[in-house]
Amino acid sequence: MQLSESNMGITILGIESSCDDTSAAIIRDKQLLSNYIANQQVHERYGGVVPELASRAHQQNIIPVVDAAIHEAGIELNEIDAIAFTRGPGLLGSLLVGTSFAKGFALAQNIPLIEVNHLQGHVLSLFIQEKGVQEGKPNFPFLCLLISGGHTQLIVVRDYFDMEIVGTTIDDAAGEAFDKCAKVMGLPYPGGPIIDRMAQEGNPLSIKFSKPRIEGFNYSFSGLKTSFLYHLRDEKKKDPHYIEEHQADLCASLQHTIVEILAEKLIQAAAHYGIREIALAGGVAANSGIRKKLLDLAEERSWKVHLPPHKYTTDNAAMIAIAGYYKYLHGEFVGQEVAPYARSKF
Ligand code: KG4
Ligand code: ZN
């Protein structure tokens, strides 16, 4: 079955539960009607996501979150044409909650079930349309730098579902680098946004941290993390208050190094593939340093850049619903036997 994009009024309910956010969203055609997200505060005291607590919180949140999304969209249950859910990658226990809910909902409403890869969802978030907002969407092919707490990937996007990962991290993700370094400074989880805020007051060139030398378009952040740790250890020996006294400079220099690492491979890949249309996606795309760097590169290299609104960069169901919409157009449905997967590229 191949439905055409001119069919109007296709309404998709999207469900996202791959990590620690329970989210539901309604999209009609490409336009977002609602996007409801319940964050799980329970992990803060542990300095990271605790998988078992995450699944339990999803189980508590899923029904109220879906209810809220439907209510906010102002639609009736029977107006939903299909349900799309995140099948993976992510935490298996968390994915199971969204997957089981979606299966039950599809069965009860007698509507098609659509599986979405979380990473493709992040990329396709660039196509979400908001009421009254007329923003240019990316043209194919474009290069997407997907940076989040779990992923750091360079993706050549040739069509909605024709994506090639041309670079990936061989150890930590960019968000993990932010969060782990924040943790050693004694900052709460997630540390990325805090480092970003503190970096505004500091000198990005005051401290030099090591940068990786990796072949191709792959990334590595574990060396930077070690270099950061050793720097703190050495300086604290000389001055026990070093961290508190130099927090802004530490944050600014760390952020500067992460941004430089991200930009270097992006520039190389853009040149290699001859692509000038560049997009950011994923939680770390909210970072002011990488956003500014992309705007500077756009000037310098005549790139056209797409910086998504912050609310679609972190995990959300709107991106799952938009991906579901494009799959609906192609009649790409799955059966009740579908099971989530913890790991996969696409
Ligand atoms: O996409 P996301 O919500 O979840 C994953 O799929 O991982 O990304 C969360 C990550 C966390 O590591 C968080 O610290 C980071 O995004 N993050 C930031 C900023 N906002 C969120 N990192 C740096 N600067 C920010 N402004
Ligand atoms: Zn994500």
Side-chain angles (χ1 to χ4, degrees):
M1 178 171 43
Q2 173 95 24
L3 304 170
S4 92
E5 209 168 323
S6 63
N7 277 7
M8 293 300 284
I10 295 162
T11 306
I12 308 286
L13 166 61
I15 306 288
E16 157 63 31
S17 73
S18 66
C19 191
D20 62 339
D21 296 309
T22 320
S23 179
I26 303 280
I27 278 208
R28 177 161 287 163
D29 297 328
K30 279 168 268 180
Q31 191 159 319
L32 189 65
L33 301 187
S34 66
N35 183 32
Y36 203 87
I37 306 174
N39 305 115
Q40 301 180 1
Q41 256 81 43
V42 64
H43 308 286
E44 262 169 37
R45 55 198 281 218
Y46 299 100
V49 177
V50 183
E52 289 194 10
L53 296 180
S55 343
R56 200 165 64 169
H58 282 304
Q59 194 76 61
Q60 290 166 336
N61 291 339
I62 187 96
I63 301 278
V65 162
V66 170
D67 244 17
I70 292 173
H71 184 78
E72 209 174 293
I75 61 159
E76 299 295 327
L77 267 188
N78 61 10
E79 292 177 55
I80 298 170
D81 293 301
I83 179 162
F85 68 97
T86 306
R87 185 176 172 195
L91 301 171
L92 202 61
S94 292
L95 291 162
L96 274 166
V97 178
T99 306
S100 304
F101 175 85
K103 285 185 185 190
F105 190 91
L107 209 56
Q109 293 299 115
N110 196 23
I111 55 173
L113 186 59
I114 300 171
E115 57 133 338
V116 173
N117 176 294
H118 182 80
L119 305 182
Q120 289 192 329
H122 269 301
V123 175
L124 294 176
S125 71
L126 291 154
F127 294 93
I128 296 169
Q129 273 178 10
E130 280 184 276
K131 245 194 191 133
V133 181
Q134 275 305 329
E135 254 176 34
K137 301 295 171 203
N139 297 295
F140 300 117
F142 64 92
L143 190 59
C144 184
L145 176 61
L146 169 54
I147 36 180
S148 75
H151 316 283
T152 300
Q153 271 145 349
L154 269 172
I155 306 168
V156 175
V157 187
R158 300 193 174 88
D159 205 344
Y160 295 109
F161 296 101
D162 182 358
M163 303 184 192
E164 185 190 349
I165 297 173
V166 296
T168 189
T169 179
I170 59 165
D171 40 54
D172 289 343
E176 261 179 305
F178 273 109
D179 296 342
K180 287 181 177 174
C181 290
K183 197 173 173 181
V184 298
M185 281 195 285
L187 299 173
Y189 175 85
I194 305 170
I195 290 186
D196 192 359
R197 211 170 44 243
M198 289 186 165
Q200 310 301 324
E201 310 294 322
N203 175 1
L205 303 176
S206 56
I207 310 162
K208 291 258 170 303
F209 297 115
S210 76
K211 283 202 229 158
R213 290 173 199 276
I214 307 280
E215 290 286 302
F217 308 126
N218 284 342
Y219 287 107
S220 166
F221 289 99
S222 68
L224 168 62
K225 186 184 63 190
T226 312
S227 153
F228 189 76
L229 199 67
Y230 285 179
H231 175 79
L232 293 189
R233 189 196 58 187
D234 295 346
E235 294 299 324
K236 263 181 8 191
K237 272 187 204 152
K238 296 181 234 159
D239 170 12
H241 302 293
Y242 176 75
I243 297 182
E244 302 91 84
E245 286 161 6
H246 296 84
Q247 211 154 34
D249 283 347
L250 281 165
C251 290
S253 302
L254 175 70
Q255 178 161 307
H256 176 76
T257 313
I258 294 176
V259 168
E260 286 298 303
I261 294 171
L262 290 171
E264 192 179 312
K265 298 291 172 141
L266 180 62
I267 293 166
Q268 288 171 11
H272 179 86
Y273 289 96
I275 297 177
R276 288 231 172 92
E277 191 133 349
I278 315 287
L280 279 186
V284 183
N287 184 265
S288 60
I290 189 72
R291 289 175 95 90
K292 181 174 181 309
K293 181 75 185 180
L294 246 76
L295 292 174
D296 291 347
L297 286 169
E299 286 264 327
E300 215 177 285
R301 297 174 178 262
S302 311
W303 283 358
K304 187 171 174 197
V305 299
H306 300 271
L307 305 178
H310 290 196
K311 57 188 167 199
Y312 306 134
T313 59
T314 52
D315 288 351
N316 66 85
M319 68 188 200
I320 304 305
I322 188 89
Y325 166 77
Y326 287 112
K327 285 203 163 183
Y328 186 94
L329 295 181
H330 290 266
E332 276 185 43
F333 308 133
V334 287
Q336 283 286 327
E337 70 290 348
V338 67
Y341 49 78
R343 291 176 179 280
S344 101
K345 286 181 173 172
F346 287 143

